[in-house]
Amino acid sequence: MTLAVDQVPGLDRADLTRMGAVCAALLLLAALMVADLVTGPAGLPLSQVVDGLREGPSGADRRLATILWYLRMPQTLMAALVGFALGVCGLMMQTILNNPLASPFTLGFSAAAGFGAALVILFGTALPVALWIGVPLAAFLSTLTAAALVYLVAHYRGASHEMLVLAGIAVLFLFQSLQSLLQFMAAPEVLQQIVFWLFGSLLKATWTSVQVLAALLVLTLPLILREVWNLTALRLGDGNAASLGLNVEAMRRRVLVLVALLTAGAVSFTGTIGFVGLIAPHVARALVGEDHRFGLPMAGIMGAVVLVAASVTGKLISPGAVIPVGIITALAGIPMLLGVILMKGRT
Amino acid sequence: MSLLLSEFTVNAGRLRLLDIPSLSLPSTGLVGVIGPNGAGKSTLLKALAGIIPHAGRKTLDCTWPDPTRIAYLPQDFAVSAAMSVAECVLLGRRERLGWRITAHDRAEVGRVLSLLDLTHLAEARMDRLSGGQQQRVLLAQRLLRDPRLMILDEPTSALDLHHQLEVLSRLKALSTDILVIAALHDLTLAGRFADHLVLIEHGMLKAADNPEAVLNGDMLDPVYAIRCEVFRDRARNPVVVAHSPCDPCPKSPIR
């Protein structure tokens, strides 16, 4: 009976195909990022873009270097980073809340970010900091405040997924009403600024925002990777996971903090880009299954793919005035989500 | 060398769910926990497994096993995740898994799958298995923990007759080296496989003895509100048949 088996069907073969899927997704992302660099109002051909990339930011052709390295590159990288962060956060949220409808925004984080940004856009002139620092900073801090509220409830009333969702919905409505109040108070020109921020746009991306979000990812990824097996175990249900020695509630709270940090970083610079965090985890699960060793990278890459693709599409539709990427992702995300749901129903 | 409980209590708010002043069980073997619904069987098992807090002392061979070597199988086990059986079993080693699945991990998964006769299901998806198949997979998952103490809440509740016997025989074989504590509803099966029975009523210890001493009308009738007959099968194991206490008494109970 003690048969030593080197190959267990259902473990090895699956691992290889999943690795292949992750690599294929990475290639797709790379191709889309190149496409994003090539498209834009200035209409640079691919050969020029390659030259510009080779010459670096201090290249001889100043016009090319400026467009490529200071306008397009930050936007492309920001799209990939924001998409990656929201995809990873989306999968973690769906796992800890055991809910396929969950996304990084389920617990009211987006509404909080919007409130923070609106607050500074409205009263920012009275602040000692510049608007371009003040707005993302306020969005970041107000997202963390929302997370802290949910965390407090989870701490005192237990971190069951029902409790987290309830607390999150309360926080969502709180910040939404506060945000509406600010919009009501704002003058028409300011209101326009607030609404434009809420659309979610990559035009706000700068090298600073890329660096901040990249740093947040570098900080949180090791901590996220430590939870990989715990997250997979949680897919067996709370009771089974707890019986395998996992402190389910403590883990939920740890993941909540990580999601809050990453989501805050992602939305504070670009505004609330919806749907990426909802759709990417579904695509990832459909492609690589429940094993979070592959699911988390795949959700991240798929998030980046969706957002970069949306950015390319936005530029192609209206080359002159770029449509905010938040609008495109929502429009493109709905058919994708429906597609995933329909495919799931068939299997 | 034994499992000892002293002043072992579990409270939910002001309500006392379980109160066991003292209990002594052998350090190996198969122990059946029996009692009517709501008596506190699951509470006892959860408290032993460390899932819910308790007061009092619990020791096994004067210490208590590391959590990684306790295998607890809860009663509500349904899995809706779309992972393969092999992946699911692998999670039994959750604490010891690294980024790569090692040859040792694989060998262990293969071993427990064949032990519970599940090798042919290794690639099947958990969410498409029947309740009984899932229950056996989750039992295999617990065996992957190389347990010193197994705590099983009705491990045969979803199994057909053949698999009930098979699983209990495996557990019985394992229990020569480890202690297996299992809540069981089927008193006949409990009498046949358990070395020791613990009878619980209203959160109190009613009896802890060998099956002979527990499975009789004097013990069972008041606890379960039944009138039972105990027969002997061909191996002289007890067979418990329950009658409603309102039924007319059979004229000559066959004993």
Side-chain angles (χ1 to χ4, degrees):
Chain A
M1 269 300 170
T2 49
L3 199 68
V5 194
D6 289 317
Q7 295 277 313
V8 179
L11 279 186
D12 303 77
R13 233 173 297 163
D15 273 12
L16 274 178
T17 42
R18 285 168 183 167
M19 202 72 102
V22 172
C23 291
L26 264 180
L27 283 177
L28 176 64
L29 175 62
L32 279 169
M33 284 174 77
V34 172
D36 194 50
L37 283 176
V38 174
T39 49
L44 304 173
L46 182 60
S47 58
Q48 248 188 313
V49 167
V50 173
D51 284 344
L53 284 178
R54 203 178 296 146
E55 284 179 22
S58 53
D61 187 343
R62 289 315 304 157
R63 177 181 161 272
L64 178 69
T66 307
I67 292 177
L68 200 58
W69 286 92
Y70 295 99
L71 291 175
R72 290 193 188 172
M73 188 79 89
Q75 289 185 22
T76 305
L77 288 178
M78 200 59 187
L81 289 176
V82 168
F84 190 89
L86 291 181
V88 167
C89 288
L91 182 59
M92 291 197 289
M93 282 300 239
Q94 293 188 358
T95 300
I96 63 167
L97 298 180
N98 190 23
N99 189 334
L101 287 175
S103 79
F105 299 161
T106 305
L107 300 185
F109 295 174
S110 59
F115 165 72
L119 195 66
V120 172
I121 293 172
L122 193 55
F123 300 113
T125 41
L127 289 178
V129 288
L131 218 55
W132 69 272
I133 305 177
V135 172
L137 195 65
F140 190 82
L141 292 178
S142 117
T143 309
L144 292 189
T145 309
L149 284 176
V150 177
Y151 188 97
L152 276 180
V153 174
H155 186 73
Y156 286 108
R157 299 289 301 141
S160 69
H161 46 81
E162 295 93 341
M163 191 51 75
L164 281 179
V165 171
L166 269 178
I169 297 286
V171 168
L172 175 72
F173 277 103
L174 170 69
F175 281 101
Q176 251 172 14
S177 355
L178 287 174
Q179 191 185 301
S180 305
L181 184 68
L182 290 181
Q183 290 184 5
F184 180 75
M185 287 161 62
E189 315 87 64
V190 181
L191 179 63
Q192 199 182 4
Q193 278 190 58
I194 295 175
V195 170
F196 187 74
W197 192 93
L198 291 177
F199 281 152
S201 164
L202 292 166
L203 292 179
K204 303 164 201 139
T206 60
W207 277 109
T208 314
S209 60
V210 169
Q211 283 161 354
V212 170
L213 186 51
L216 268 176
L217 273 167
V218 168
L219 264 174
T220 48
L221 275 182
L223 299 172
I224 291 173
L225 294 183
R226 273 178 44 194
E227 306 287 350
V228 155
W229 286 110
N230 297 345
L231 286 164
T232 312
L234 194 61
R235 293 293 299 143
L236 299 176
D238 280 20
N240 280 315
S243 75
L244 290 172
L246 177 65
N247 187 339
V248 174
E249 301 211 338
M251 188 201 74
R252 274 211 185 94
R253 290 195 292 262
R254 285 199 303 273
V255 172
L256 183 68
V257 172
L258 293 172
V259 169
L261 275 174
L262 269 184
T263 309
V267 300
S268 57
F269 289 109
T270 54
T272 49
I273 297 174
F275 261 90
V276 176
L278 177 64
I279 187 82
H282 282 281
V283 177
R285 258 200 306 272
L287 290 173
V288 295
E290 304 275 5
D291 189 336
H292 282 59
R293 279 181 307 153
F294 300 99
L296 283 174
M298 195 57 155
I301 296 168
M302 275 301 149
V305 163
V306 170
L307 206 49
V308 177
S311 162
V312 176
T313 317
K315 285 194 253 182
L316 288 178
I317 293 176
S318 69
V322 177
I323 300 178
V325 77
I327 298 177
I328 307 276
T329 45
L331 280 177
I334 292 162
M336 270 179 92
L337 184 64
L338 285 177
V340 171
I341 294 168
L342 289 177
M343 286 211 333
K344 246 190 173 170
R346 208 172 294 153
T347 51
Chain B
M1 284 302 166
S2 57
L3 180 126
L4 293 173
L5 299 184
S6 64
E7 306 299 338
F8 194 83
T9 57
V10 176
N11 300 314
R14 276 188 213 156
L15 201 67
R16 179 147 289 189
L17 298 179
L18 193 71
D19 187 357
I20 298 178
S22 98
L23 172 64
S24 166
L25 293 169
S27 93
T28 59
L30 181 57
V31 174
V33 178
I34 59 172
N37 297 140
K41 303 187 291 292
S42 294
T43 304
L44 170 62
L45 298 189
K46 277 183 196 158
L48 283 175
I51 301 290
I52 55 172
H54 66 84
R57 274 169 63 78
K58 55 182 179 187
T59 58
L60 179 59
D61 297 346
C62 304
T63 94
W64 191 251
D66 186 73
T68 58
R69 295 207 60 200
I70 296 176
Y72 166 64
L73 182 64
Q75 203 173 7
D76 46 347
F77 56 78
V79 174
S80 57
M83 61 176 75
S84 77
V85 165
E87 283 178 286
C88 179
V89 170
L90 184 71
L91 287 174
R93 293 172 66 79
R94 186 185 63 82
E95 298 96 332
R96 282 172 267 182
L97 288 175
W99 196 249
R100 283 177 66 94
I101 297 170
T102 64
H104 180 67
D105 294 333
R106 282 194 198 104
E108 283 291 296
V109 170
R111 182 180 67 82
V112 295
L113 281 177
S114 70
L115 192 69
L116 286 177
D117 200 13
L118 288 165
T119 311
H120 63 290
L121 288 178
E123 277 182 292
R125 262 174 56 173
M126 276 306 278
D127 56 338
R128 294 186 187 158
L129 297 185
S130 73
Q133 285 169 327
Q134 279 199 1
Q135 199 169 29
R136 280 159 59 216
V137 172
L138 291 173
L139 193 62
Q141 192 186 53
R142 301 317 190 274
L143 287 178
L144 200 69
R145 296 174 80 73
D146 181 26
R148 168 67 185 90
L149 173 63
M150 288 194 90
I151 300 167
L152 312 170
D153 205 342
E154 298 188 29
T156 57
S157 61
L159 302 186
D160 60 40
L161 287 174
H162 171 81
H163 286 112
Q164 285 181 12
L165 296 177
E166 190 183 274
V167 162
L168 285 171
S169 309
R170 289 265 177 267
L171 292 176
K172 180 92 176 168
L174 283 168
S175 71
T176 50
D177 300 316
I178 66 173
L179 180 61
V180 180
I181 303 177
L184 295 167
H185 255 305
D186 187 326
L187 298 178
T188 303
L189 274 182
R192 182 153 152 201
F193 285 97
D195 305 305
H196 230 76
L197 284 182
V198 173
L199 177 61
I200 296 181
E201 182 191 23
H202 301 315
M204 313 284 273
L205 185 66
K206 176 86 176 166
D209 215 327
N210 59 51
E212 291 291 324
V214 178
L215 296 181
N216 57 61
D218 296 340
M219 275 291 182
L220 298 178
D221 289 1
V223 172
Y224 280 91
I226 54 169
R227 202 153 59 211
C228 72
E229 287 179 85
V230 181
F231 300 96
R232 297 282 158 193
D233 70 3
R234 63 185 182 202
R236 304 294 304 152
N237 289 314
V239 176
V240 181
V241 177
H243 299 285
S244 165
C246 320
D247 284 349
C249 191
K251 280 200 180 98
S252 54
I254 310 154
R255 299 259 171 180

